[in-house]
Amino acid sequence: MSACVPTRVTDSHQNRTKRAPQPHSPPPPPPHRFRIAGADVSAAIAVFLIALPLSLGIALATGAPLQAGLVAAAVGGLVAGRLGGCPLQVSGPAAGLTVVTADLIHRYGWRTTCAVTVLAGLAQLALGCLRVARTALAVSPAIVHGMLAGIGVTIAVAQLHIVLGGTPQSSVLANLRALPAQLADVHPADVAMSVLTLALLLLWPRVPGRLGDLMRKIPAALVAVAGATLTASLTGLSLAKVDLPSWSSHALAGLPEGPALGIAAAVLTTTLVCSVQSLLGAVAVDKLVAGQPGLSARVGRSDLNRELLGQGAANIVSGALGGLPVAGVAVRSSANVRAGAVSRNSTMLHGVLVLVAALLMVPVLELIPLASLAALVMAVGIQMVSLHHIRTVTRHREVLVYAVTTLGVVLLGVLEGVLLGVTVAVGVALNRLAHTRITHDEKEGVHHVHVRGQLTFLAVPRLSRVLHLVPQGTHVVVELDGSFMDHAAYESLQDWQNSHTARGGTAELTGRRTGVRDTEPGRTGSESTPADPATGATGAMSGTTAEAPADTPTGAPTTSTACRCHPWTPWRNHQCDPRRTTPADGHPAEPTDQPTDQPRDKPTDRPAPGTAEPSTPGTPPHPGTGSHPDPDPGTGTGTGTGTPTATATPTAGSQLARGISAFQRDTAPLVRGELARLAKEGQRPSQLFLTCADSRLVTSMITSSGPGDLFVVRNVGNLVPPPGEESGDDSVAAAIEYAVDVLRVRSITVCGHSGCGAMQALLNSEPGGARTPLKRWLRHGVPSLERMADDDRPWARLAGRAPADAVEQLCLTNVVQQLEHLRGHESVDRALREGALELHGMYFHVGEAQAYLLTEADGGGLFDGVGVADMSA
């Protein structure tokens, strides 16, 4: 028997049969056999081919023994890959640590640098145990991007000397000062290999056509270094090449030697850079995984605290074995995900491959020219200065923080640059909080006070001066354009408002977040309160609506604002229909917003007199708006005293214009970017949603979807004409064909609802009579009526209760029947056979705001059978 089951998971648990506890423990499971998926093997090879040259290049850039890069890559893959909280992140020597490590080697030597790496790993373990990983992500992105850009500039300038055949200096300024002399003493062979490396690195990914697709399976970094190595070997050029001493002479970590304060600062810097880069890398990997639904279900989200513990363990092992500091590497991690990795086995296998190469491929590695590795690392450094990041911080007005951090890292060092960036970021935040612009102007007799920025106690003196410039007895509109108001500003504004209205004036507070219209010239406005300092939201003040000014023309309609609706009534029919309540004087009552004797957080079930019934949706709420209640149903009062105020009857055209205007003002700025992307890329909906034309069904609301998600078809009764009977109704069949064959939707949902007028009309229909368009259309619902009347066929039902009446029973049966009609369409049938499409049935109870999903039957047809299961479980 078909059944519609509510999407609440708890319902499915309640319907399950409780299992009796087993008297004995189950037998032990068979021994687990370790297996590596083929996708992990191919991904590990791809990452290994990228990591090998980069590890050598980063070791070269830091001035460390070249084996140190291979040690860090192997340890990052094996230790961080096994213990870390981000299974698909690949760790190893990172370009972001180059400057820090190079400075440590220059100051304290290699063995002390290894000891600092071990201490930084211990610090990371402590931070992971304290579970502060999420706190580290609170650092401003402008500081992080500025730090990476400064490191990139430092790397590029230093490696330029090796590219030209020279030796880099210890600082950026020294490298820049030595650059003219280096340009005068260029080594042509080194320059030639560097240019060849950069050319291959740049052009390899850009080969067009099918050949380019095949070629791009080999990483460009490997091709560039291999091409330069092969060319240098064939031509016999005299070049400095990789020199890997015997592993027996490899230097391990020693006790730190140097001033305690300097060592502590080095540990802090290494911990900061390693942790932030690894955590940001884990977040980036989560975003890549989320773009692949099948992979996200298998891998899950990263555990950042565990990732910090894994990185700490890897740094301890790497430092102890004489390796470079380890961190998550974005280039290798993204390559790992895109190569199809499905588990942490790919990361660990890449570490094994690096270890094998370090032990068995030494003769091959020693053929690589140092100039080629330097060119590769220089290109990585240049890419760290991202134009996308610069545009982003500029758009968010944080370019000053970015620039100061970058220059600080370049000129002073990583830790100093980051501290400078944090200082500037705090200063910018305080300036934004304290900087408030308050202006006053007069338009056609109405005084407008504009407040731009956050309204705090620092702005109260200026606000008071401007407000006291407003003449007594006038109408004032105070526009608040900010997201925060403290208690001092709140009381100051409220005291002025009470004083101004007591002297015969009127005041209205409005703003970008309130949705309240400015009062039109020659009309009065009702009083409003400023934003609640606790929430920042603005609501209507209790009080009697002000009378019309004396100069209002005789006979002219007087009104408060044409519509007093707020975005906090998002799903109420707040069209302010004046026909709802009309007092004795013949003028319709103004809708009310806020009760006088009821707390703001008290929910109510029905609107007060004068408000529209909650049947059709209003405009979507603006982010940051507080949640406010309806008027108290027990008192029947609305704003102020509840006395109706004379208003002009708005036409349907004016309601439409107001709605469009509200969209353009409040919603369009928020969605314009997303709609521009959809306009450029075209629509790619994931499902066809076929539902009734009833105004109470808001598809985007009940499915939590947005622009571009649903391809929606609505008609009276959510009917699907069977194939061959579409005479005069081809639009539904055309929409189905277009959705399945052109848009390639992955699912189709037929959604019915409670209280459907079409189903009521079917039940009440009588044979004969005029064949109106509605009757001709409803003939496609007759099979649903016949299905319900057939005693041999099981009825659709709701889990947990019987249908309330015959109308609800027919609404449920109609969903099942229309899905059968849907399967008869050729395009749908073909897609179902190919496994490219799923069909879903849905029932929405309007009064309960409860959605039900039609489940698959256990015993035969698609929706027949007795046992059902909640699809949402």
Side-chain angles (χ1 to χ4, degrees), residues 810-828:
L810 183 56
C811 292
L812 298 172
T813 306
N814 185 57
V815 173
V816 178
Q817 185 64 39
Q818 300 310 315
L819 282 168
E820 288 194 2
H821 291 179
L822 194 59
R823 294 180 64 89
H825 286 260
E826 180 182 356
S827 56
V828 174

mmCIF file with all atom_site columns, all heavy atoms in Angstrom, residues 810-828:
data_model
loop_
_atom_site.group_PDB
_atom_site.id
_atom_site.type_symbol
_atom_site.label_atom_id
_atom_site.label_alt_id
_atom_site.label_comp_id
_atom_site.label_asym_id
_atom_site.label_entity_id
_atom_site.label_seq_id
_atom_site.pdbx_PDB_ins_code
_atom_site.Cartn_x
_atom_site.Cartn_y
_atom_site.Cartn_z
_atom_site.occupancy
_atom_site.B_iso_or_equiv
_atom_site.pdbx_formal_charge
_atom_site.auth_seq_id
_atom_site.auth_comp_id
_atom_site.auth_asym_id
_atom_site.auth_atom_id
_atom_site.pdbx_PDB_model_num
ATOM 1   N N   . LEU A 1 810 ? -8.240  12.148 -1.653  1.00 0.00 ? 810 LEU A N   1
ATOM 2   C CA  . LEU A 1 810 ? -8.072  12.323 -3.089  1.00 0.00 ? 810 LEU A CA  1
ATOM 3   C C   . LEU A 1 810 ? -6.776  13.061 -3.398  1.00 0.00 ? 810 LEU A C   1
ATOM 4   O O   . LEU A 1 810 ? -6.109  12.761 -4.408  1.00 0.00 ? 810 LEU A O   1
ATOM 5   C CB  . LEU A 1 810 ? -9.275  13.087 -3.663  1.00 0.00 ? 810 LEU A CB  1
ATOM 6   C CG  . LEU A 1 810 ? -9.269  13.275 -5.183  1.00 0.00 ? 810 LEU A CG  1
ATOM 7   C CD1 . LEU A 1 810 ? -9.157  11.933 -5.905  1.00 0.00 ? 810 LEU A CD1 1
ATOM 8   C CD2 . LEU A 1 810 ? -10.527 14.023 -5.642  1.00 0.00 ? 810 LEU A CD2 1
ATOM 9   N N   . CYS A 1 811 ? -6.383  14.011 -2.558  1.00 0.00 ? 811 CYS A N   1
ATOM 10  C CA  . CYS A 1 811 ? -5.116  14.721 -2.772  1.00 0.00 ? 811 CYS A CA  1
ATOM 11  C C   . CYS A 1 811 ? -3.946  13.740 -2.746  1.00 0.00 ? 811 CYS A C   1
ATOM 12  O O   . CYS A 1 811 ? -3.024  13.825 -3.579  1.00 0.00 ? 811 CYS A O   1
ATOM 13  C CB  . CYS A 1 811 ? -4.918  15.794 -1.703  1.00 0.00 ? 811 CYS A CB  1
ATOM 14  S SG  . CYS A 1 811 ? -6.056  17.189 -1.799  1.00 0.00 ? 811 CYS A SG  1
ATOM 15  N N   . LEU A 1 812 ? -3.951  12.804 -1.798  1.00 0.00 ? 812 LEU A N   1
ATOM 16  C CA  . LEU A 1 812 ? -2.887  11.807 -1.707  1.00 0.00 ? 812 LEU A CA  1
ATOM 17  C C   . LEU A 1 812 ? -2.923  10.865 -2.908  1.00 0.00 ? 812 LEU A C   1
ATOM 18  O O   . LEU A 1 812 ? -1.896  10.564 -3.513  1.00 0.00 ? 812 LEU A O   1
ATOM 19  C CB  . LEU A 1 812 ? -3.028  11.012 -0.413  1.00 0.00 ? 812 LEU A CB  1
ATOM 20  C CG  . LEU A 1 812 ? -2.900  11.785 0.909   1.00 0.00 ? 812 LEU A CG  1
ATOM 21  C CD1 . LEU A 1 812 ? -3.253  10.878 2.075   1.00 0.00 ? 812 LEU A CD1 1
ATOM 22  C CD2 . LEU A 1 812 ? -1.506  12.351 1.063   1.00 0.00 ? 812 LEU A CD2 1
ATOM 23  N N   . THR A 1 813 ? -4.142  10.379 -3.234  1.00 0.00 ? 813 THR A N   1
ATOM 24  C CA  . THR A 1 813 ? -4.276  9.454  -4.358  1.00 0.00 ? 813 THR A CA  1
ATOM 25  C C   . THR A 1 813 ? -3.845  10.109 -5.662  1.00 0.00 ? 813 THR A C   1
ATOM 26  O O   . THR A 1 813 ? -3.244  9.459  -6.531  1.00 0.00 ? 813 THR A O   1
ATOM 27  C CB  . THR A 1 813 ? -5.733  8.968  -4.467  1.00 0.00 ? 813 THR A CB  1
ATOM 28  O OG1 . THR A 1 813 ? -6.144  8.426  -3.208  1.00 0.00 ? 813 THR A OG1 1
ATOM 29  C CG2 . THR A 1 813 ? -5.903  7.936  -5.559  1.00 0.00 ? 813 THR A CG2 1
ATOM 30  N N   . ASN A 1 814 ? -4.123  11.384 -5.802  1.00 0.00 ? 814 ASN A N   1
ATOM 31  C CA  . ASN A 1 814 ? -3.785  12.100 -7.032  1.00 0.00 ? 814 ASN A CA  1
ATOM 32  C C   . ASN A 1 814 ? -2.272  12.152 -7.252  1.00 0.00 ? 814 ASN A C   1
ATOM 33  O O   . ASN A 1 814 ? -1.789  12.060 -8.384  1.00 0.00 ? 814 ASN A O   1
ATOM 34  C CB  . ASN A 1 814 ? -4.359  13.525 -6.967  1.00 0.00 ? 814 ASN A CB  1
ATOM 35  C CG  . ASN A 1 814 ? -4.139  14.276 -8.257  1.00 0.00 ? 814 ASN A CG  1
ATOM 36  O OD1 . ASN A 1 814 ? -4.552  13.838 -9.332  1.00 0.00 ? 814 ASN A OD1 1
ATOM 37  N ND2 . ASN A 1 814 ? -3.468  15.411 -8.156  1.00 0.00 ? 814 ASN A ND2 1
ATOM 38  N N   . VAL A 1 815 ? -1.499  12.291 -6.174  1.00 0.00 ? 815 VAL A N   1
ATOM 39  C CA  . VAL A 1 815 ? -0.034  12.292 -6.318  1.00 0.00 ? 815 VAL A CA  1
ATOM 40  C C   . VAL A 1 815 ? 0.434   10.966 -6.903  1.00 0.00 ? 815 VAL A C   1
ATOM 41  O O   . VAL A 1 815 ? 1.247   10.921 -7.836  1.00 0.00 ? 815 VAL A O   1
ATOM 42  C CB  . VAL A 1 815 ? 0.637   12.577 -4.964  1.00 0.00 ? 815 VAL A CB  1
ATOM 43  C CG1 . VAL A 1 815 ? 2.146   12.397 -5.070  1.00 0.00 ? 815 VAL A CG1 1
ATOM 44  C CG2 . VAL A 1 815 ? 0.310   13.981 -4.488  1.00 0.00 ? 815 VAL A CG2 1
ATOM 45  N N   . VAL A 1 816 ? -0.105  9.866  -6.363  1.00 0.00 ? 816 VAL A N   1
ATOM 46  C CA  . VAL A 1 816 ? 0.282   8.542  -6.848  1.00 0.00 ? 816 VAL A CA  1
ATOM 47  C C   . VAL A 1 816 ? -0.114  8.367  -8.314  1.00 0.00 ? 816 VAL A C   1
ATOM 48  O O   . VAL A 1 816 ? 0.671   7.877  -9.141  1.00 0.00 ? 816 VAL A O   1
ATOM 49  C CB  . VAL A 1 816 ? -0.369  7.452  -5.977  1.00 0.00 ? 816 VAL A CB  1
ATOM 50  C CG1 . VAL A 1 816 ? -0.014  6.063  -6.487  1.00 0.00 ? 816 VAL A CG1 1
ATOM 51  C CG2 . VAL A 1 816 ? 0.046   7.611  -4.526  1.00 0.00 ? 816 VAL A CG2 1
ATOM 52  N N   . GLN A 1 817 ? -1.330  8.781  -8.663  1.00 0.00 ? 817 GLN A N   1
ATOM 53  C CA  . GLN A 1 817 ? -1.826  8.603  -10.024 1.00 0.00 ? 817 GLN A CA  1
ATOM 54  C C   . GLN A 1 817 ? -1.036  9.446  -11.017 1.00 0.00 ? 817 GLN A C   1
ATOM 55  O O   . GLN A 1 817 ? -0.696  8.980  -12.113 1.00 0.00 ? 817 GLN A O   1
ATOM 56  C CB  . GLN A 1 817 ? -3.310  8.955  -10.079 1.00 0.00 ? 817 GLN A CB  1
ATOM 57  C CG  . GLN A 1 817 ? -3.951  8.687  -11.436 1.00 0.00 ? 817 GLN A CG  1
ATOM 58  C CD  . GLN A 1 817 ? -3.949  7.211  -11.787 1.00 0.00 ? 817 GLN A CD  1
ATOM 59  O OE1 . GLN A 1 817 ? -4.163  6.363  -10.926 1.00 0.00 ? 817 GLN A OE1 1
ATOM 60  N NE2 . GLN A 1 817 ? -3.681  6.894  -13.046 1.00 0.00 ? 817 GLN A NE2 1
ATOM 61  N N   . GLN A 1 818 ? -0.723  10.674 -10.671 1.00 0.00 ? 818 GLN A N   1
ATOM 62  C CA  . GLN A 1 818 ? 0.002   11.539 -11.601 1.00 0.00 ? 818 GLN A CA  1
ATOM 63  C C   . GLN A 1 818 ? 1.433   11.052 -11.818 1.00 0.00 ? 818 GLN A C   1
ATOM 64  O O   . GLN A 1 818 ? 1.998   11.253 -12.885 1.00 0.00 ? 818 GLN A O   1
ATOM 65  C CB  . GLN A 1 818 ? -0.009  12.984 -11.091 1.00 0.00 ? 818 GLN A CB  1
ATOM 66  C CG  . GLN A 1 818 ? -1.400  13.586 -10.925 1.00 0.00 ? 818 GLN A CG  1
ATOM 67  C CD  . GLN A 1 818 ? -2.265  13.400 -12.153 1.00 0.00 ? 818 GLN A CD  1
ATOM 68  O OE1 . GLN A 1 818 ? -1.837  13.608 -13.290 1.00 0.00 ? 818 GLN A OE1 1
ATOM 69  N NE2 . GLN A 1 818 ? -3.521  12.999 -11.934 1.00 0.00 ? 818 GLN A NE2 1
ATOM 70  N N   . LEU A 1 819 ? 2.002   10.395 -10.823 1.00 0.00 ? 819 LEU A N   1
ATOM 71  C CA  . LEU A 1 819 ? 3.322   9.797  -11.029 1.00 0.00 ? 819 LEU A CA  1
ATOM 72  C C   . LEU A 1 819 ? 3.240   8.652  -12.041 1.00 0.00 ? 819 LEU A C   1
ATOM 73  O O   . LEU A 1 819 ? 4.173   8.442  -12.833 1.00 0.00 ? 819 LEU A O   1
ATOM 74  C CB  . LEU A 1 819 ? 3.884   9.292  -9.699  1.00 0.00 ? 819 LEU A CB  1
ATOM 75  C CG  . LEU A 1 819 ? 4.470   10.378 -8.774  1.00 0.00 ? 819 LEU A CG  1
ATOM 76  C CD1 . LEU A 1 819 ? 4.734   9.816  -7.391  1.00 0.00 ? 819 LEU A CD1 1
ATOM 77  C CD2 . LEU A 1 819 ? 5.752   10.954 -9.366  1.00 0.00 ? 819 LEU A CD2 1
ATOM 78  N N   . GLU A 1 820 ? 2.125   7.892  -12.018 1.00 0.00 ? 820 GLU A N   1
ATOM 79  C CA  . GLU A 1 820 ? 1.957   6.852  -13.034 1.00 0.00 ? 820 GLU A CA  1
ATOM 80  C C   . GLU A 1 820 ? 1.812   7.469  -14.416 1.00 0.00 ? 820 GLU A C   1
ATOM 81  O O   . GLU A 1 820 ? 2.352   6.963  -15.402 1.00 0.00 ? 820 GLU A O   1
ATOM 82  C CB  . GLU A 1 820 ? 0.741   5.991  -12.692 1.00 0.00 ? 820 GLU A CB  1
ATOM 83  C CG  . GLU A 1 820 ? 0.951   5.071  -11.508 1.00 0.00 ? 820 GLU A CG  1
ATOM 84  C CD  . GLU A 1 820 ? -0.136  4.011  -11.413 1.00 0.00 ? 820 GLU A CD  1
ATOM 85  O OE1 . GLU A 1 820 ? -1.020  3.985  -12.294 1.00 0.00 ? 820 GLU A OE1 1
ATOM 86  O OE2 . GLU A 1 820 ? -0.088  3.215  -10.452 1.00 0.00 ? 820 GLU A OE2 1
ATOM 87  N N   . HIS A 1 821 ? 1.081   8.570  -14.522 1.00 0.00 ? 821 HIS A N   1
ATOM 88  C CA  . HIS A 1 821 ? 0.994   9.268  -15.805 1.00 0.00 ? 821 HIS A CA  1
ATOM 89  C C   . HIS A 1 821 ? 2.375   9.723  -16.254 1.00 0.00 ? 821 HIS A C   1
ATOM 90  O O   . HIS A 1 821 ? 2.705   9.655  -17.443 1.00 0.00 ? 821 HIS A O   1
ATOM 91  C CB  . HIS A 1 821 ? 0.085   10.500 -15.669 1.00 0.00 ? 821 HIS A CB  1
ATOM 92  C CG  . HIS A 1 821 ? -1.355  10.151 -15.472 1.00 0.00 ? 821 HIS A CG  1
ATOM 93  N ND1 . HIS A 1 821 ? -2.334  11.111 -15.316 1.00 0.00 ? 821 HIS A ND1 1
ATOM 94  C CD2 . HIS A 1 821 ? -2.005  8.950  -15.393 1.00 0.00 ? 821 HIS A CD2 1
ATOM 95  C CE1 . HIS A 1 821 ? -3.516  10.518 -15.169 1.00 0.00 ? 821 HIS A CE1 1
ATOM 96  N NE2 . HIS A 1 821 ? -3.340  9.202  -15.200 1.00 0.00 ? 821 HIS A NE2 1
ATOM 97  N N   . LEU A 1 822 ? 3.177   10.175 -15.307 1.00 0.00 ? 822 LEU A N   1
ATOM 98  C CA  . LEU A 1 822 ? 4.506   10.686 -15.632 1.00 0.00 ? 822 LEU A CA  1
ATOM 99  C C   . LEU A 1 822 ? 5.380   9.598  -16.227 1.00 0.00 ? 822 LEU A C   1
ATOM 100 O O   . LEU A 1 822 ? 6.147   9.826  -17.178 1.00 0.00 ? 822 LEU A O   1
ATOM 101 C CB  . LEU A 1 822 ? 5.145   11.257 -14.363 1.00 0.00 ? 822 LEU A CB  1
ATOM 102 C CG  . LEU A 1 822 ? 6.387   12.123 -14.496 1.00 0.00 ? 822 LEU A CG  1
ATOM 103 C CD1 . LEU A 1 822 ? 6.123   13.339 -15.361 1.00 0.00 ? 822 LEU A CD1 1
ATOM 104 C CD2 . LEU A 1 822 ? 6.864   12.567 -13.118 1.00 0.00 ? 822 LEU A CD2 1
ATOM 105 N N   . ARG A 1 823 ? 5.282   8.395  -15.677 1.00 0.00 ? 823 ARG A N   1
ATOM 106 C CA  . ARG A 1 823 ? 6.105   7.291  -16.188 1.00 0.00 ? 823 ARG A CA  1
ATOM 107 C C   . ARG A 1 823 ? 5.739   6.930  -17.612 1.00 0.00 ? 823 ARG A C   1
ATOM 108 O O   . ARG A 1 823 ? 6.542   6.323  -18.334 1.00 0.00 ? 823 ARG A O   1
ATOM 109 C CB  . ARG A 1 823 ? 5.933   6.064  -15.293 1.00 0.00 ? 823 ARG A CB  1
ATOM 110 C CG  . ARG A 1 823 ? 6.469   6.229  -13.891 1.00 0.00 ? 823 ARG A CG  1
ATOM 111 C CD  . ARG A 1 823 ? 6.241   4.953  -13.079 1.00 0.00 ? 823 ARG A CD  1
ATOM 112 N NE  . ARG A 1 823 ? 6.996   3.835  -13.639 1.00 0.00 ? 823 ARG A NE  1
ATOM 113 C CZ  . ARG A 1 823 ? 8.247   3.533  -13.287 1.00 0.00 ? 823 ARG A CZ  1
ATOM 114 N NH1 . ARG A 1 823 ? 8.859   4.259  -12.389 1.00 0.00 ? 823 ARG A NH1 1
ATOM 115 N NH2 . ARG A 1 823 ? 8.854   2.514  -13.825 1.00 0.00 ? 823 ARG A NH2 1
ATOM 116 N N   . GLY A 1 824 ? 4.541   7.282  -18.057 1.00 0.00 ? 824 GLY A N   1
ATOM 117 C CA  . GLY A 1 824 ? 4.135   6.960  -19.412 1.00 0.00 ? 824 GLY A CA  1
ATOM 118 C C   . GLY A 1 824 ? 4.765   7.840  -20.477 1.00 0.00 ? 824 GLY A C   1
ATOM 119 O O   . GLY A 1 824 ? 4.712   7.512  -21.666 1.00 0.00 ? 824 GLY A O   1
ATOM 120 N N   . HIS A 1 825 ? 5.344   8.951  -20.096 1.00 0.00 ? 825 HIS A N   1
ATOM 121 C CA  . HIS A 1 825 ? 5.990   9.835  -21.070 1.00 0.00 ? 825 HIS A CA  1
ATOM 122 C C   . HIS A 1 825 ? 7.298   9.204  -21.537 1.00 0.00 ? 825 HIS A C   1
ATOM 123 O O   . HIS A 1 825 ? 8.088   8.701  -20.732 1.00 0.00 ? 825 HIS A O   1
ATOM 124 C CB  . HIS A 1 825 ? 6.243   11.211 -20.453 1.00 0.00 ? 825 HIS A CB  1
ATOM 125 C CG  . HIS A 1 825 ? 4.981   12.016 -20.305 1.00 0.00 ? 825 HIS A CG  1
ATOM 126 N ND1 . HIS A 1 825 ? 4.625   13.001 -21.187 1.00 0.00 ? 825 HIS A ND1 1
ATOM 127 C CD2 . HIS A 1 825 ? 3.991   11.965 -19.374 1.00 0.00 ? 825 HIS A CD2 1
ATOM 128 C CE1 . HIS A 1 825 ? 3.474   13.541 -20.805 1.00 0.00 ? 825 HIS A CE1 1
ATOM 129 N NE2 . HIS A 1 825 ? 3.063   12.929 -19.714 1.00 0.00 ? 825 HIS A NE2 1
ATOM 130 N N   . GLU A 1 826 ? 7.535   9.278  -22.831 1.00 0.00 ? 826 GLU A N   1
ATOM 131 C CA  . GLU A 1 826 ? 8.673   8.566  -23.426 1.00 0.00 ? 826 GLU A CA  1
ATOM 132 C C   . GLU A 1 826 ? 10.003  9.027  -22.838 1.00 0.00 ? 826 GLU A C   1
ATOM 133 O O   . GLU A 1 826 ? 10.869  8.216  -22.493 1.00 0.00 ? 826 GLU A O   1
ATOM 134 C CB  . GLU A 1 826 ? 8.663   8.786  -24.945 1.00 0.00 ? 826 GLU A CB  1
ATOM 135 C CG  . GLU A 1 826 ? 9.812   8.081  -25.661 1.00 0.00 ? 826 GLU A CG  1
ATOM 136 C CD  . GLU A 1 826 ? 9.807   8.355  -27.151 1.00 0.00 ? 826 GLU A CD  1
ATOM 137 O OE1 . GLU A 1 826 ? 8.857   9.032  -27.622 1.00 0.00 ? 826 GLU A OE1 1
ATOM 138 O OE2 . GLU A 1 826 ? 10.746  7.921  -27.831 1.00 0.00 ? 826 GLU A OE2 1
ATOM 139 N N   . SER A 1 827 ? 10.191  10.320 -22.707 1.00 0.00 ? 827 SER A N   1
ATOM 140 C CA  . SER A 1 827 ? 11.467  10.822 -22.202 1.00 0.00 ? 827 SER A CA  1
ATOM 141 C C   . SER A 1 827 ? 11.699  10.384 -20.761 1.00 0.00 ? 827 SER A C   1
ATOM 142 O O   . SER A 1 827 ? 12.825  10.021 -20.386 1.00 0.00 ? 827 SER A O   1
ATOM 143 C CB  . SER A 1 827 ? 11.505  12.350 -22.291 1.00 0.00 ? 827 SER A CB  1
ATOM 144 O OG  . SER A 1 827 ? 10.408  12.926 -21.591 1.00 0.00 ? 827 SER A OG  1
ATOM 145 N N   . VAL A 1 828 ? 10.640  10.372 -19.954 1.00 0.00 ? 828 VAL A N   1
ATOM 146 C CA  . VAL A 1 828 ? 10.772  9.951  -18.564 1.00 0.00 ? 828 VAL A CA  1
ATOM 147 C C   . VAL A 1 828 ? 11.074  8.462  -18.483 1.00 0.00 ? 828 VAL A C   1
ATOM 148 O O   . VAL A 1 828 ? 11.956  8.028  -17.730 1.00 0.00 ? 828 VAL A O   1
ATOM 149 C CB  . VAL A 1 828 ? 9.497   10.294 -17.778 1.00 0.00 ? 828 VAL A CB  1
ATOM 150 C CG1 . VAL A 1 828 ? 9.560   9.734  -16.360 1.00 0.00 ? 828 VAL A CG1 1
ATOM 151 C CG2 . VAL A 1 828 ? 9.271   11.798 -17.747 1.00 0.00 ? 828 VAL A CG2 1
#
